């Protein structure tokens, strides 16, 4: 089963399209991060369909260290694990980085399509798909400056037409057989435009809910398939209750 199929199956079974971004504010000793992360995971696992880990947890806990405990608990809960490493280097380096994450137990990684295909992301797609792993491409990020890169009007190298960069990336996501694309929940109009291009071929992952200003209903109505939610859950007084609430709102749209 491909990563895309795996997460869709779990989302359906659990009636949840919430990907928990297990991000925590810095804490010392670093070990304290592990127990907090595990506690949040235990409390919320029932209401989520996947977990996304970022470098703010990998760096203090270490890929060969405490992060393994989180990976193992996620596996026990049968939750797919996404590593938000935003691969952005030349191909052989991207490949080595992705292999480390896949070997550690991650099921998918995020990557930046700005690096292109040949000697860029091609080696990573090849090794990922050979091993049933997923690649999720950034198409329009959730922050204010996203328009400076993803929103630029550029000349498409294939058609020579002037187009917004994010539309070109959405088309490449189809062509490259990406397992998902990231479009910020803070830009529902972009989600809608991009959905028209990818339709049901590539699922849309939408971060930026809550603290970044994105709205659950707007993102889902515009076409988001999964919502990536971090601090609204991890900093909540009651993470379980908050996750359930976000899950329920998203399911009712
Ligand atoms: P919050 O706390 O804002 O966390 O709910 C969101 C998580 O998602 C990451 N993030 C993004 N990742 N493209 C990405 O690939 C984006 O546009 C984007 N916006 C936020 C963020 O780093 C955090 O882990």
């Amino acid at each position: 089963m491909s990563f895309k199929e795996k997460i869709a199956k779990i989302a359906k079974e659990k009636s949840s399209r919430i990907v928990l971004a297990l991000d925590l504010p810095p804490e010392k000793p670093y070990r304290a991060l592990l127990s907090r992360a595990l506690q949040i995971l235990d409390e919320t696992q029932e209401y989520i369909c996947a977990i996304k880990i970022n470098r703010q947890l990998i760096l203090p806990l270490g890929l060969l260290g405490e992060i393994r405990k989180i990976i193992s608990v996620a596996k026990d809960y049968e939750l797919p694990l996404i590593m938000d490493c935003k691969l952005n280097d030349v191909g052989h380096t991207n490949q080595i980085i992705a292999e480390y994450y896949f070997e550690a137990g991650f099921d998918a990684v995020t990557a930046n399509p700005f690096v292109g295909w040949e000697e860029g992301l091609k080696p990573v797609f090849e090794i990922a798909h050979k091993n049933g792993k997923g690649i999720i491409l950034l198409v329009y990020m959730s922050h204010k400056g996203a328009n400076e890169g993803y929103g630029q009007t550029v000349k498409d190298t294939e058609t020579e037409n002037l187009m917004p960069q994010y539309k070109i990336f959405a088309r490449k996501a189809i062509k490259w057989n990406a397992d998902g694309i990231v479009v910020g929940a803070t830009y529902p109009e972009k989600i809608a435009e991009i959905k028209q291009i990818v339709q049901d071929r590539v699922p849309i992952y939408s971060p930026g809910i809550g603290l970044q200003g994105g709205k659950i209903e707007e993102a889902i109505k515009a076409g988001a398939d999964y919502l990536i939610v971090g601090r609204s859950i991890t900093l909540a007084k009651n993470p379980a209750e908050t996750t359930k609430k976000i899950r329920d709102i998203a399911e009712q749209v």
Side-chain angles (χ1 to χ4, degrees), residues 21 23 52 54 56 84 86 110 138 140-143 182 184 207-209 211-212 228-232:
D23 300 334
K52 182 180 83 68
N54 211 326
Q56 62 236 60
D84 194 2
K86 299 185 172 67
T110 58
L138 308 183
Y140 201 98
M141 290 184 72
S142 55
H143 64 301
V182 174
I209 296 292
L211 269 84
Q212 291 186 61
I228 295 175
V229 189
R231 290 163 298 170
S232 297

Side-chain angles (χ1 to χ4, degrees), residues 37-145:
L38 288 173
Q39 186 189 358
I40 294 171
L41 184 49
D42 281 338
E43 290 174 9
T44 58
Q45 53 84 20
E46 191 182 338
Y47 310 115
I48 59 177
C49 66
I51 301 167
K52 182 180 83 68
I53 305 270
N54 211 326
R55 270 166 293 199
Q56 62 236 60
L57 207 56
I58 293 276
L59 287 175
L61 297 186
L63 189 64
L64 299 177
E66 311 282 23
I67 206 77
R68 301 237 162 189
K69 180 75 188 147
I70 295 174
I71 294 172
S72 151
V73 172
K75 301 263 172 225
D76 289 344
Y77 287 133
E78 298 182 6
L79 286 166
L81 275 156
I82 300 165
M83 178 58 214
D84 194 2
C85 54
K86 299 185 172 67
L87 293 172
N88 199 26
D89 213 312
V90 290
H92 71 280
T93 302
N94 289 334
Q95 181 176 338
I96 292 168
I97 296 169
E99 276 170 344
Y100 275 123
Y101 287 126
F102 293 151
E103 274 170 33
F106 284 95
D107 301 290
V109 294
T110 58
N112 199 339
F114 269 110
V115 286
W117 184 247
E118 290 294 338
E119 298 182 5
L121 293 180
K122 183 181 174 191
V124 190
F125 271 86
E126 283 175 354
I127 164 209
H129 288 167
K130 207 169 97 191
N131 294 292
K133 307 283 186 178
I135 306 281
I136 300 171
L137 295 175
L138 308 183
V139 166
Y140 201 98
M141 290 184 72
S142 55
H143 64 301
K144 284 208 177 97

